[in-house]
Amino acid sequence: KVNLLENEIRELSQEQLIKKLFDLKEIYVQNKKKELDEKDLCIISAITREVSDRSIGLRHFDSQIIGGIALYYGLIAEMKTGEGKTLVATIPIILNFVLGKKVHLITVNDYLAKRDSLWMGPVYEYLNISNSFIQNDQSIEEKVKSYESHIVYGNNNEFCFDYLRDNLRSSNSPKMQGELQIAVIDEADSVLIDESRSPLGISGPVKTPIQLFKLCYEITEDLNIEDVEINEERKNVLLKDSGIKKIEFNLKKINYLKGNSLFDNENLEAYQIINQSLKARFLYEKDKDYILKDGQIVVIDEFSGRLSQGRRFGEGLHQSLEAKEDVKIQSESITLASITFQNYFKKYEKISGMTGTALTESEELMEIYGLNVIEIPTNREMIRKDQNDQIYKTSDEKYLAVLELVKIKYSSGQPLLIGTTSIEKSNFISEILKKSSIPHNVLNAKNHENEAEIIAQAGKPFQITVATNMAGRGTDIKLGGNPEIDKNFSEDDYKKVIELGGLCILGTERHESRRIDNQLRGRSG
């Protein structure tokens, strides 16, 4: 039906298109209608396609129109990598605009929010629809102005933090966000499932005197394992009678025991810190739970075994460890406001999302958010070859096989993307390649701008890229290299890579979720 309207819409001038759109909007907003009629839905989709073609030279494929309409209806649209999700989003945005709704388009990082807002901007400008983006470094004044637009692009963290900041502000200062009406989420599975339960918080300083941590740790130094009861499972240490006696004696010695017993109310603060000191002493081990780095205590993540820079143990435990290791004790902060993505996104009237891989998570999306997943067909037939896993007895044999395959691909000139699950593994593979003098790029979670460049070049002949987790990188790998970035780009390179079979993807191990494996595969397209 949208295609049948194409010729008729093509005849209209810019003024006529704007008038048509705003006349429809007036009718819907005045009558307070919640849903578009099918006829109008088709007209608006056809207008969006025509305007996109005129303003940025991109005409929506039929598959992108289907995806856009699915998003308007509040579904999760599973669209394969490289099917053009950024352009798809213009359709639900303009359909919701006609209903008088403001739309927040949510991406996974600041770079993509800015890129997509500027890239799709001309489509909205052509129709007199305001569009803006929010960034981490904007002032409150800039943000208040940005949020007034019909469409706001931004990353998930920023939207969440702005919500918290608004709630912490006094009632007479300007609020940034206003009503939460429509959210269209890019990389929806990553935002709604992977990160959904980790709370985001805003913290402020605490008044506990820092010297108290040093003092309380010293008080526990003459306690031994007989004086305490350790509960490994609950990560707790309880004092036995002998331990309580020693602590009370030590507190009296320095004139710090108020009242007669450690458990009197006046000693509550000291008791809590002593409790954390005992945990630091008996439960937390250096190089297992944390490491010392540049005079600071860095937490080791118990799930991934990686360092969690910037994360601190809570409730005074981090300071007690700083006292234990005799490094500078930093002041603690208290959480003033926090929310999870899950709870934040449930505040919108309607959410929808798109992603390359959601079917594997469809049950969860239904259960938590009441969202149905719909698979959108690809614009052209799928021609990727998914080979079976190769399994080896030892990791040495496996990495030898990886090296052999790299050598074969490199000698023919076929570009190769090697996926790993951790930074250590990607560095390890990089070392193996260095020893065999094979030139390559390594892509870790270091910086977004540089990352876009490495990815854009990953499809050139003879290019080898080693990368961790390719989920939601948002930059396409173009076969033969990227003409926008690469001055030396040539059509011959493009033809050569196609002849060699496109980009070869080599996953060196399985990720913890099948979805991330699929995202890595999807880069070949």
Side-chain angles (χ1 to χ4, degrees), residues 476-495:
D476 293 326
I477 296 178
K478 293 207 164 80
L479 300 183
N482 191 333
E484 289 165 33
I485 292 177
D486 189 1
K487 295 181 184 68
N488 308 322
F489 174 79
S490 82
E491 276 296 324
D492 294 345
D493 283 354
Y494 173 68
K495 289 186 188 120

Side-chain angles (χ1 to χ4, degrees), residues 34-52:
K34 292 264 191 290
E35 285 296 336
L36 296 169
D37 300 338
E38 190 184 283
K39 180 171 127 285
D40 295 332
L41 184 138
C42 293
I43 291 170
I44 300 159
S45 300
I47 289 174
T48 308
R49 175 190 262 177
E50 177 58 28
V51 169
S52 170

Side-chain angles (χ1 to χ4, degrees), residues 444-467:
N444 289 339
K446 291 279 156 49
N447 77 26
H448 288 305
E449 305 292 336
N450 196 14
E451 168 183 291
E453 208 163 299
I454 294 178
I455 293 179
Q457 300 293 20
K460 283 176 73 161
F462 297 102
Q463 198 78 14
I464 295 172
T465 313
V466 182

Side-chain angles (χ1 to χ4, degrees), residues 213 216-217 220 230 235-237 272-286 289-290 297 313-325:
F213 288 100
C216 288
Y217 190 78
T220 65
I230 295 175
K235 285 236 168 199
N236 211 345
V237 180
Q272 281 173 331
I273 297 177
I274 287 166
N275 201 9
Q276 297 299 348
S277 300
L278 292 169
K279 283 190 201 173
R281 197 175 165 69
F282 292 106
L283 275 177
Y284 285 79
E285 290 175 41
K286 190 166 123 183
D289 300 296
Y290 63 90
I297 288 190
F313 291 115
E315 298 172 353
L317 175 60
H318 209 94
Q319 281 92 329
S320 299
L321 288 166
E322 286 167 333
K324 170 184 174 179
E325 298 296 347

Side-chain angles (χ1 to χ4, degrees), residues 495-512:
K495 289 186 188 120
K496 180 173 181 180
V497 171
I498 299 277
E499 274 165 32
L500 290 165
L503 172 70
C504 174
I505 306 278
L506 171 58
T508 53
E509 55 200 316
R510 287 282 184 178
H511 287 77
E512 65 224 38

Side-chain angles (χ1 to χ4, degrees), residues 57-70:
L58 295 174
R59 178 188 172 278
H60 297 69
F61 296 130
D62 291 359
S63 57
Q64 290 174 310
I65 297 270
I66 299 168
I69 293 171

